[in-house]
Amino acid sequence: MNIKITFPDGKIQEYASGVTPAEIAAQIGPGLARAALAASLDGQLVDMNAPLKSDGALRFVTFQDPEGKDIYRHSSSHIMAQAIRRIWPEAALAIGPAIADGFYYDIALPQPISTEDLPRIEEEMERIVREDLPFSRVEVPREEALEIFRKQGNKFKEEIISELPVDATVSLYRQGEFVDLCRGPHIPSTKYLKAFKLTAVAGAYWRGDEKRDMLTRIYGTSFSDKKDLKEHLQLLEEARKRDHRKLGKELGLFTFHQEGPGFPFFHPRGVVLYNTLTGFCREELQKRNYREVRTPIILHEQLWHQSGHWDHYKENMYFTTIDERQFAVKPMNCPGGLLIYKSTHHSYREFPIRVGEFGLVHRHEKSGVLHGLFRVRAFTQDDAHVFCLPEQLEDEIRGLVDLILYFYKVFGFEDVHIELSTRPEKSIGTDEVWEKATSALQNTLEHMNIVYKLNPGDGAFYGPKIDFHIRDCLKRTWQCATIQVDFSMPERFDLTYVGADGQEHRPVMVHRAVFGSLERFMGILIEHYAGNFPLWLAPVQVMVLPIGGEQEAWALELIAMLRAAGIRAEIDLSSEKIGRKIRDAEIQKIPCMLVIGQREADGHSAAIRRHGAGDQGVKAAEELIRDLLAEIAEKRLHP
């Protein structure tokens, strides 16, 4: 019996039932046979040696495909796990997924290990790669799978399997003597792993639960080409140098303290950066007819039941009791904005109503996931809630997309990836309103000719959303901005306006954030710029450096002129030699240094140095202030 296989170019070919993707790839050409890691049959990923027994659309998956990278790196984690079991046979494996640019495996080891042990594991992995062990899928009954891992003494796999239905069939993957619980698919054999590196050792709780076993998490990365691996490792090294936690402390921006784990303490220069970001945002929002509000941090528990957060977000919230009544610390700003809307009557003539808030929110994060400013327990959201008429919805979404892309361009993020996320499994609202909301987002993106990726099931519980992912100079992506269309909250809170017909109608609510979290965005900027902020953003824009005491009078006069012009300037009046003063200013990454010698003092001028670029010549005070103000006003990324 033959089956019909349809290829991506539309060509249809007949093959004998049971043919494998590997056999088809070999017939097409040796290049494809070497590159293909897995295949997709009617959208379902399968191994290259899986027998095909029915008609279908076939696509080969290589390392160039996102799914290919995941398969390759997940297979890398299996090879690493096999190497670890060879070195420490009593090791118990937990989970080992692929992650962005790499993989990890959580393991209960018989002894503590450190990064010094990683080369030993890598050597064993190299040996496994040379052995060219095929990955083979085996399906067994649930009880048989349980018995396999009982014999290994692996309580973690037993727990996972025990949660499956009694009559479930469990898929296992073998390579040589090694067997692991896995859905697959995997690369054809271990020899396909061309370039890899183990990068770190950390601790992780089993299933993220602080009350469960503490496991050893071993991180690694892998690529299909050694050149790509080398480039990636160089980027990782650069990322370590740019670590915002290290730079934040060195530049006097922020610190963390054990008295408030997960709660950042901003120092004066950090507050300047924070205020510069919010000031820029306020200025742009005023141009677009936003009005700013401020809502309480603590609100009654009943409000969170009404909004739906209680059912969908309770585990991330903090609670308190006031006058024997239960209150919650807000994890989001939306309900407060809804109460403000409800406090007055509205006419259709007022719309759209654009309301912004820099709202401090608190979310309970487990200690194991806290990470500098990237993952904190208290942060400021640059929230906005746009209330509009249904017929205004797509125009408002278009305006928000333009606003977000403009903001990112100002900061130098030109590479922006957009995802449209649809209704999740846990949600509120009817099918009809979800369809209307999703169509509005989709139509707007398509009318704007914006390329986007569909992300099914990842919307907010109250509405679909567009997420914006920016790529930094180290090729890392960060999800920051979001636009969410919400028909459900206006219904739950009974929001109304009087239409042209004199009757009450429901407005549409659009949730929007550009930075997302101010704290997180600051962390991204610190690492993107390596602390070398453009002049308009720098907490200290100018450092005045008199060479000696004879020049101090002019230096003090100059700094007064700079500050009067609105330029953030400081002065170094220490007795250090000028070389040391310049070095200190460079270490602080001050964008502009003004060196004052006797000639400059006599001529009411300054010798200009730019951070990392050296001498820029001498200018009269009025001219250099004019030039600096122009650079700041234009928000130039470079002098």
Side-chain angles (χ1 to χ4, degrees):
M1 175 182 149
N2 287 347
I3 59 172
K4 292 181 179 179
I5 296 297
T6 304
F7 294 96
D9 62 1
K11 182 180 177 182
I12 299 175
Q13 184 79 33
E14 286 197 12
Y15 295 92
S17 178
V19 67
T20 66
E23 291 167 337
I24 296 174
Q27 290 180 28
I28 294 172
L32 178 61
R34 287 192 299 271
L37 303 176
S40 171
L41 183 68
D42 291 336
Q44 182 72 35
L45 292 171
V46 296
D47 294 299
M48 288 296 287
N49 61 1
L52 306 181
K53 297 183 179 179
S54 60
D55 299 346
L58 186 71
R59 175 176 63 87
F60 291 102
V61 176
T62 72
F63 189 80
Q64 303 310 313
D65 300 302
E67 316 100 294
K69 288 180 174 63
D70 284 346
I71 291 167
Y72 192 88
R73 287 164 178 156
H74 184 47
S75 300
S76 304
S77 77
H78 277 236
I79 293 171
M80 179 180 74
Q82 182 178 14
I84 289 168
R85 288 273 296 172
R86 284 185 176 183
I87 298 169
W88 296 285
E90 56 272 53
L93 307 173
I95 57 170
I99 56 175
D101 295 326
F103 58 90
Y104 70 78
Y105 218 120
D106 288 344
I107 305 168
L109 287 162
Q111 63 189 66
I113 69 166
S114 68
T115 52
E116 294 177 358
D117 296 288
L118 298 184
R120 182 182 177 191
I121 301 171
E122 289 173 344
E123 286 178 16
E124 191 60 43
M125 289 175 70
E126 292 281 9
R127 194 171 292 115
I128 292 167
V129 169
R130 290 194 299 271
E131 289 173 14
D132 188 14
L133 304 173
F135 279 84
S136 58
R137 180 185 178 93
V138 182
E139 294 187 351
V140 300
R142 175 179 177 273
E143 290 307 311
E144 185 177 334
L146 276 172
E147 186 58 29
I148 289 170
F149 291 102
R150 279 197 196 102
K151 288 180 179 177
Q152 288 186 8
N154 191 327
K155 65 180 182 180
F156 308 110
K157 303 291 185 183
E158 282 189 67
E159 182 177 320
I160 294 171
I161 297 168
S162 297
E163 294 168 354
L164 299 174
V166 175
D167 59 351
T169 298
V170 178
S171 61
L172 309 175
Y173 274 82
R174 296 181 186 275
Q175 73 237 34
E177 83 288 353
F178 180 76
V179 61
D180 204 355
L181 174 69
C182 190
R183 286 194 301 264
H186 281 285
I187 56 179
S189 83
T190 57
K191 78 172 182 181
Y192 277 67
L193 184 56
K194 302 297 183 185
F196 64 89
K197 181 70 178 175
L198 302 187
T199 56
V201 177
Y205 291 106
W206 170 231
R207 292 190 157 176
D209 187 341
E210 298 172 7
K211 298 176 182 176
R212 307 292 298 274
D213 296 67
M214 170 59 81
L215 305 172
T216 299
R217 176 171 292 181
I218 303 176
Y219 287 96
T221 187
S222 57
F223 288 82
S224 61
D225 183 278
K226 289 185 178 179
K227 176 180 159 208
D228 291 339
L229 174 63
K230 182 179 178 182
E231 179 185 345
H232 178 74
L233 293 175
Q234 288 171 343
L235 289 175
L236 287 180
E237 180 57 34
E238 182 63 26
R240 276 190 280 273
K241 295 177 186 174
R242 293 169 178 251
D243 189 320
H244 75 283
R245 295 167 296 182
K246 170 175 162 287
L247 288 175
K249 187 173 182 180
E250 291 175 358
L251 300 179
L253 301 176
F254 65 89
T255 52
F256 284 89
H257 301 274
Q258 63 181 7
E259 291 82 357
F263 298 93
F265 289 70
F266 283 100
H267 296 216
R269 290 186 179 181
V271 172
V272 171
L273 178 58
Y274 177 96
N275 288 340
T276 303
L277 289 172
T278 55
F280 164 64
C281 189
R282 281 191 172 100
E283 181 182 318
E284 292 301 324
L285 295 185
Q286 286 170 5
K287 295 176 186 176
R288 294 164 175 81
N289 299 318
Y290 280 79
R291 291 176 288 175
E292 188 172 342
V293 299
R294 192 177 186 90
T295 60
I297 293 176
I298 299 175
L299 293 164
H300 192 270
E301 177 188 308
Q302 179 54 40
L303 179 69
W304 305 104
H305 284 282
Q306 186 177 359
S307 68
H309 288 88
W310 186 270
D311 295 327
H312 297 271
Y313 216 75
K314 181 172 58 176
E315 65 276 10
N316 297 102
M317 296 170 64
Y318 294 109
F319 303 95
T320 187
T321 301
I322 303 174
D323 296 333
E324 299 182 358
R325 299 170 68 206
Q326 294 301 308
F327 286 76
V329 181
K330 68 177 179 181
M332 296 179 187
N333 299 303
C334 326
L338 289 160
L339 293 181
I340 288 178
Y341 179 94
K342 277 183 67 72
S343 65
T344 57
H345 296 290
H346 299 279
S347 162
Y348 73 98
R349 297 179 186 275
E350 299 174 51
F351 291 87
I353 299 171
R354 303 182 184 121
V355 182
E357 177 176 11
F358 295 96
L360 179 64
V361 298
H362 290 72
R363 298 180 184 177
H364 176 61
E365 301 283 1
K366 294 179 179 177
S367 59
V369 301
L370 297 174
H371 182 74
L373 296 180
F374 292 157
R375 200 73 176 265
V376 290
R377 287 172 169 157
F379 58 93
T380 304
Q381 284 188 314
D382 64 318
D383 259 335
H385 298 109
V386 177
F387 301 94
C388 63
L389 309 178
E391 58 268 27
Q392 296 172 332
L393 179 56
E394 291 190 20
D395 284 340
E396 287 303 304
I397 296 169
R398 177 188 292 268
L400 294 174
V401 172
D402 285 337
L403 170 70
I404 290 165
L405 294 178
Y406 167 71
F407 266 53
Y408 290 157
K409 185 177 180 181
V410 167
F411 293 101
F413 297 113
E414 301 278 0
D415 187 353
V416 182
H417 166 71
I418 293 174
E419 293 186 1
L420 172 60
S421 300
T422 59
R423 188 174 191 173
E425 187 176 334
K426 290 179 66 177
S427 61
I428 59 176
T430 65
D431 292 343
E432 180 186 1
V433 298
W434 274 88
E435 177 58 33
K436 283 165 62 178
T438 305
S439 295
L441 292 171
Q442 194 163 15
N443 291 341
T444 305
L445 291 174
E446 291 175 357
H447 290 156
M448 295 179 75
N449 295 316
I450 290 178
V451 176
Y452 65 91
K453 174 188 172 185
L454 193 63
N455 196 5
D458 202 39
F461 71 84
Y462 46 78
K465 61 179 180 172
I466 299 172
D467 287 330
F468 294 75
H469 300 253
I470 56 177
R471 186 181 298 274
D472 68 12
C473 66
L474 298 180
K475 300 182 180 181
R476 302 172 300 182
T477 57
W478 307 90
Q479 192 275 310
C480 294
T482 186
I483 299 171
Q484 304 165 351
V485 176
D486 183 359
F487 284 87
S488 296
M489 292 292 175
E491 185 73 33
R492 283 187 165 229
F493 281 79
D494 192 26
L495 303 190
T496 61
Y497 67 89
V498 177
D501 58 1
Q503 303 299 311
E504 288 193 339
H505 300 273
R506 287 261 187 267
V508 184
M509 183 178 185
V510 183
H511 307 251
R512 185 278 292 146
V514 180
F515 299 135
S517 155
L518 261 293
E519 287 75 3
R520 184 167 175 268
F521 195 75
M522 286 173 65
I524 293 168
L525 290 180
I526 292 167
E527 297 198 359
H528 181 63
Y529 297 132
N532 302 313
F533 297 108
L535 186 67
W536 76 275
L537 265 181
V540 179
Q541 295 168 321
V542 175
M543 182 68 76
V544 179
L545 305 172
I547 291 177
E550 301 83 359
Q551 295 86 40
E552 284 186 8
W554 167 238
L556 289 167
E557 188 177 338
L558 177 58
I559 196 170
M561 293 171 64
L562 290 163
R563 289 172 175 172
I567 295 170
R568 298 187 288 271
E570 294 185 3
I571 188 168
D572 185 346
L573 294 175
S574 70
S575 58
E576 297 288 351
K577 292 184 177 179
I578 190 62
R580 177 60 184 267
K581 290 184 179 183
I582 291 171
R583 178 176 172 274
D584 288 346
E586 289 281 358
I587 290 172
Q588 294 176 61
K589 301 180 185 286
I590 309 297
C592 181
M593 291 149 271
L594 301 180
V595 179
I596 309 295
Q598 194 56 49
R599 184 177 63 174
E600 289 77 25
D602 292 340
H604 281 197
S605 61
I608 303 168
R609 289 183 63 91
R610 295 306 293 251
H611 173 63
D615 294 329
Q616 305 293 303
V618 176
K619 285 185 181 179
E622 292 78 4
E623 182 184 2
L624 72 85
I625 289 174
R626 186 170 61 249
D627 290 347
L628 290 172
L629 288 175
E631 184 178 336
I632 292 166
E634 294 168 16
K635 296 180 173 59
R636 294 181 212 156
L637 294 172
H638 307 287

